[in-house]
Amino acid sequence: MEHGAAPVAIAKRDRVAVITIDQPPVNALSTAVRAGLLDAVRRACADRDADALVIACAGKTFIAGADLAEFERPPEAPQLPEVTQTIEDCAKPVVAALFGTALGGGFEVALACHYRIAAPGARVGLPEIKLGLLPGAGGTQRLPRLVGFDRALEMIVGGEPIAAVDALAAGAIDEIAGDDLVTAAIAAARRLAGASLPLRRSGALPAPAVDQELFARARRDAARKRRGQRAPEAAIDALSAAARLPFADGLGHERALFLELRASDEAAALRYAFLAEREVAKVPELGPEVKAREVRRAGVIGAGTMGAGIAMCFANAGIPVTLLDVDESGLARGIESIRRNYAASVSRGSLAHAAMDARVGRIVPTLDWNSLRDADLVVEAAFEDLDVKRRVFEALDTVAKPGAVLATNTSYLDVATIAGFTSRPQDVVGMHFFSPANVMRLVENVRAPATSPAVLATAMRVGRALGKVAVAVAGSDGFVGNRMLMQRTRETFFLLEEGALPQDVDRALVEFGFAMGPFAVADLSGLDIGWSNRKARAHRRPPGMRDCNLLDQVCERGRLGQKTGAGWYRYEPGSRSPLPDTEIEALIVEHSHARGIERREISAEEIVGRCVWSMVNEGARILEERVAARALDIDMVWLHGYGFPAWRGGPMYHADAVGLPVVHDAICRYRDRFGPDFWTPAPLLEELARSGGRFTRWSRVAATVRGPS
Ligand code: 3H9
């Protein structure tokens, strides 16, 4: 084998130069790969003993895109557009052999080839938008010439990869290979070399005719669905340039937009979010010596909405699960809701009938505690009451096999107390799923002081196996997510009594980037949850501390949210659209009056500042108290469990980006105005603001999880 600049090699088979990229883990296009590929293509083009070229990859995937690690530096030569243009201009046929995930710059390399052949399981796509970018090596110009503008818009602005069969049907690839991809690619290359037809160069194809209204519609959609982000609009601009301009000019336009986005705050935040999603799985205190336990069978206790959703997660991941309830009709309702849920996916076309049957078949309903004997992990999702938890864990302790992981889905109760109901606290861990559990990606894995490292490691691995973003946290009231949420919720109520209305608060936070405002979300999930939580904590409120009881007043009127047709908003029958309600306005105004508060105009800036900085201040305490090990753990909780806009990175990243001195000053101003009870800056925030530090760069020597393994 003849080697180009490492990590790209050329081998000759049947007078075809097979260029193989070998850059683990995903063959990303680092500077070395781009240089090696460019050199290899040039040499193979000039090689008299080669009639054609194949571009292939070693490892588990074709090139998965540009190397994200290089984005913190200015672009280095050779840049990808030069590589793709050299490929397209090659006088000999160039065939791309695609497998795994050919994404971003990787798929752009393939689009510049003269022929694309894919393994049956391959997926291809241009997901740059998810990183705040657009395809920057000809993707916006070549793809529409192959598949049309409708499809190109869908793939580039949507960013979802598509399966090889769909890519073939759309015209994005030319062939699906049988068994041996590289052999099939060589055969295709030989065929093209032997044919007298001119090579099909994507860039030389005419741009299909398109109605400009398509782009106008796409802009309107993007403004609605991806509010506040620049990348979708830029991608649509680049695509519309493909319709208007000659190919070379379109490329120039695309490149200028790409470079603008590459340097944007939005792209930096999304890159952080991408890498943090991977980093979060690597718990600092779990060294390589800690081995997770095998989980082949699971159990779930409680067939309510939460338990049924958790059982579905196991079934979806191929893990058989026993679903136990103590009440026969409750169990039947749970199973019925599972069936309904799956049937809805089948009718939407997102799940095959056979897959539904297989999943339902993995869930075994039972009323008998002994059925949990074989489970390697049991998740308790019973009623949120310490006495109920006691009964469940005492019973579980008598039936679960030795070494089984016993998890509680509690959202507020103390995991250590629950662990104390068993004779094996080292095996008890919190696994806090979010509702609906089969949809929401977040799981907070809560370690109590006695939880063994192997048990935490098992919860982390199971979370990942279920397709979740699992975040390791320590026991604390509300863990990470709800503890920070309590701060924000308090401020939203204070804002109401000071002068805002629910729609003002919601609008400001939606403008900030949340998918929904907090009052609309509360109506959706039901106000009674927050109400009972509030009642349960009433005794903890120090006398004389400011408290707003508007939630009690709304709930006492029977307004419990969408399910009762009214909550913070009103709802027309059969509709889920929140409508501002004069009754609520009157109630709030009356409340302010009764408390002697003079209502005032409150700016969106103040609403966002008080909501977000109160969370960040609590986040700083969460770090100090080691409830979360890193700022990225907190950010992942908020991105995946609470709809914090990914393009702002997460609350802690966002605070860093705004500047900690600015955040600290804002909190001090609120303290001067509203008093120190809720607005004393956390010591860690003070220290970092003073020293020029950042939450996302801050770390301490990791604590180790105590207890036997
Ligand atoms: C682009 O291409 C712009 C162009 O238009 C440029 C034009 C000029 N770079 O996800 P996994 C690492 S933008 C560097 O756990 P999976 C990842 O961090 C890019 N590293 O595996 C992890 O590292 P570690 C467009 C990368 O099997 C390891 O690989 N491309 C990159 O579940 C395994 O990753 C994309 O947006 C990268 N590009 O999923 C694709 N990608 O082991 C982004 C991954 O240290 N990548 N790593 O934790 C993905 O979607 C998934 O990683 C992929 C594999 C589907 C490929």
Side-chain angles (χ1 to χ4, degrees):
M1 186 181 271
E2 188 191 340
H3 281 275
V8 181
I10 310 181
K12 206 89 54 65
R13 262 176 70 184
D14 209 7
R15 290 185 59 82
V16 173
V18 179
I19 299 172
T20 304
I21 298 159
D22 188 1
Q23 174 88 334
V26 295
N27 291 313
L29 290 157
S30 61
T31 305
V33 169
R34 295 195 305 275
L37 180 58
L38 183 62
D39 179 60
V41 170
R42 283 188 177 140
R43 282 164 58 198
C45 280
D47 182 352
R48 289 183 189 184
D49 296 328
D51 302 329
L53 288 67
V54 164
I55 300 181
C57 284
K60 62 172 190 172
T61 180
F62 191 77
I63 307 163
D67 187 346
L68 297 180
E70 292 189 352
F71 275 69
E72 307 309 321
R73 306 196 294 269
E76 284 170 61
Q79 286 163 24
L80 197 57
E82 185 187 352
V83 180
T84 48
Q85 202 54 52
T86 306
I87 293 170
E88 186 162 78
D89 292 345
C90 179
K92 300 172 187 175
V94 187
V95 174
L98 310 175
F99 68 108
T101 44
L103 300 178
F107 189 46
E108 290 180 293
V109 165
L111 291 172
C113 293
H114 309 123
Y115 194 83
R116 286 157 291 282
I117 179 166
R123 297 179 69 78
V124 304
L126 296 171
E128 284 89 343
I129 207 90
K130 296 185 185 172
L131 294 167
L133 301 170
L134 52 69
T140 64
Q141 308 299 300
R142 290 193 177 94
L143 186 63
R145 286 175 158 83
L146 290 168
V147 304
F149 281 96
D150 258 315
R151 195 64 198 251
L153 271 166
E154 200 181 303
M155 287 181 70
I156 292 173
V157 183
E160 284 305 318
I162 59 173
V165 278
D166 298 324
L168 182 68
I173 64 169
D174 302 291
E175 186 182 337
I176 294 185
D179 283 350
D180 184 344
L181 175 65
V182 173
T183 304
I186 293 170
R190 285 241 52 87
R191 253 188 349 261
L192 292 177
S196 54
L197 292 171
L199 292 173
R200 187 164 178 259
R201 295 186 164 85
S202 316
L205 298 172
V210 60
D211 182 351
Q212 284 296 320
E213 175 51 26
L214 182 70
F215 300 116
R217 208 167 47 236
R219 282 196 180 91
R220 285 196 297 274
D221 273 5
R224 194 163 39 83
K225 290 195 205 134
R226 295 186 184 261
R227 203 181 1 235
Q229 298 177 60
R230 165 78 181 122
E233 186 194 317
I236 298 165
D237 263 8
L239 279 158
S240 84
R244 287 181 285 111
L245 303 177
F247 180 68
D249 296 351
L251 280 183
H253 194 68
E254 175 198 81
R255 187 70 187 163
L257 289 167
F258 175 80
L259 291 175
E260 174 206 323
L261 294 181
R262 191 186 188 279
S264 69
D265 293 343
E266 174 183 323
L270 286 164
R271 242 176 3 253
Y272 163 81
F274 176 88
L275 294 172
E277 191 179 323
R278 274 121 196 108
E279 207 52 34
V280 77
K282 302 168 194 161
V283 181
E285 57 226 72
L286 295 178
E289 74 289 353
V290 180
K291 299 283 174 259
R293 298 180 188 164
E294 273 312 314
V295 173
R296 293 203 183 83
R297 285 203 68 87
V300 172
I301 300 174
T305 312
M306 206 62 200
I310 298 171
M312 287 174 76
C313 295
F314 284 106
N316 296 349
I319 302 172
V321 54
T322 305
L323 177 60
L324 176 131
D325 204 293
V326 288
D327 172 58
E328 193 166 355
S329 58
L331 186 61
R333 271 197 306 277
I335 292 293
E336 181 47 36
S337 85
I338 289 172
R339 284 185 190 284
R340 242 196 342 265
N341 242 309
Y342 280 133
S345 304
V346 170
S347 54
R348 269 199 310 273
S350 57
L351 185 70
H353 224 285
M356 167 174 85
D357 292 344
R359 291 178 190 195
V360 171
R362 284 187 203 115
I363 303 175
V364 181
T366 184
L367 295 164
D368 177 7
W369 284 88
N370 285 313
S371 311
L372 295 174
R373 275 187 197 292
D374 296 339
D376 303 300
L377 174 131
V378 180
V379 185
E380 164 276 318
F383 193 67
E384 193 73 338
D385 173 279
L386 206 53
D387 262 344
V388 174
K389 305 287 187 197
R390 175 197 298 277
R391 269 178 273 134
V392 167
F393 274 83
E394 282 173 357
L396 194 51
D397 198 19
T398 61
V399 294
K401 67 181 181 188
V405 172
L406 311 182
T408 167
N409 179 52
T410 182
S411 6
Y412 285 100
L413 299 175
D414 181 28
V415 178
T417 308
I418 295 174
F421 300 146
T422 72
S423 61
R424 37 177 139 174
Q426 74 281 2
D427 291 336
V428 178
V429 66
M431 286 187 83
H432 180 211
F433 289 79
F434 287 68
S435 187
N438 53 315
V439 177
M440 297 296 290
R441 289 195 71 207
L442 178 65
V443 181
E444 283 178 321
N445 283 334
V446 191
R447 65 175 158 78
T451 306
S452 89
V455 166
L456 179 62
T458 308
M460 293 303 291
R461 196 164 80 180
V462 167
R464 211 169 148 76
L466 302 187
K468 306 290 182 195
V469 175
V471 182
V473 304
S476 127
D477 187 26
F479 313 128
V480 169
N482 284 344
R483 178 167 160 184
M484 287 165 71
L485 182 66
M486 283 188 271
Q487 308 300 318
R488 188 184 81 175
T489 305
R490 180 198 66 231
E491 286 306 310
T492 60
F493 292 148
F494 288 172
L495 286 160
L496 294 189
E497 61 184 13
E498 288 169 36
L501 293 173
Q503 54 270 32
D504 302 325
V505 175
D506 280 0
R507 196 180 320 110
L509 288 172
V510 166
E511 280 296 314
F512 175 79
F514 279 94
M516 276 173 95
F519 289 106
V521 170
D523 272 3
L524 180 66
S525 26
L527 302 193
D528 38 344
I529 304 173
W531 191 26
S532 64
N533 203 7
R534 190 178 140 70
K535 284 187 277 197
R537 311 171 153 267
H539 67 281
R540 297 200 211 168
R541 252 189 317 272
M545 188 178 249
R546 182 176 174 189
D547 173 53
C548 169
N549 70 350
L550 273 167
L551 178 64
D552 305 340
Q553 298 182 48
V554 173
C555 291
E556 278 156 9
R557 293 182 178 212
R559 302 179 65 121
L560 300 181
Q562 285 191 18
K563 61 185 171 189
T564 57
W568 293 105
Y569 295 93
R570 67 183 179 84
Y571 298 85
E572 294 293 348
S575 161
R576 291 168 162 266
S577 301
L579 301 170
D581 193 346
T582 48
E583 190 184 323
I584 283 291
E585 181 171 351
L587 184 142
I588 293 171
V589 170
E590 171 58 27
H591 166 87
S592 308
H593 189 69
R595 293 220 164 169
I597 301 171
E598 192 173 333
R599 293 180 65 77
R600 61 187 169 90
E601 194 73 37
I602 300 184
S603 68
E605 193 192 347
E606 180 179 341
I607 293 173
V608 170
R610 285 170 62 180
C611 288
V612 177
W613 300 149
S614 57
M615 282 165 45
V616 166
N617 203 31
E618 195 65 20
R621 295 209 166 86
I622 283 173
L623 289 176
E624 281 161 15
E625 294 168 23
R626 305 179 178 215
V627 170
R630 303 158 296 186
L632 70 88
D633 294 299
I634 297 178
D635 286 336
M636 290 305 96
V637 164
W638 273 83
L639 253 50
H640 297 287
Y642 297 84
F644 197 94
W647 55 275
R648 291 194 190 270
M652 307 315 275
Y653 180 94
H654 174 61
D656 279 351
V658 168
L660 296 189
V662 176
V663 177
H664 181 258
D665 283 355
I667 289 178
C668 291
R669 275 201 312 278
Y670 294 139
R671 179 193 55 201
D672 297 344
R673 219 163 125 199
F674 303 111
D677 283 354
F678 303 120
W679 288 109
T680 298
L684 179 63
L685 171 61
E686 288 207 304
E687 177 197 321
L688 294 177
R690 201 177 37 242
S691 63
R694 286 170 169 249
F695 288 127
T696 50
R697 300 224 177 107
W698 177 81
S699 70
R700 76 165 95 67
V701 180
T704 42
V705 178
R706 275 172 284 141
S709 68

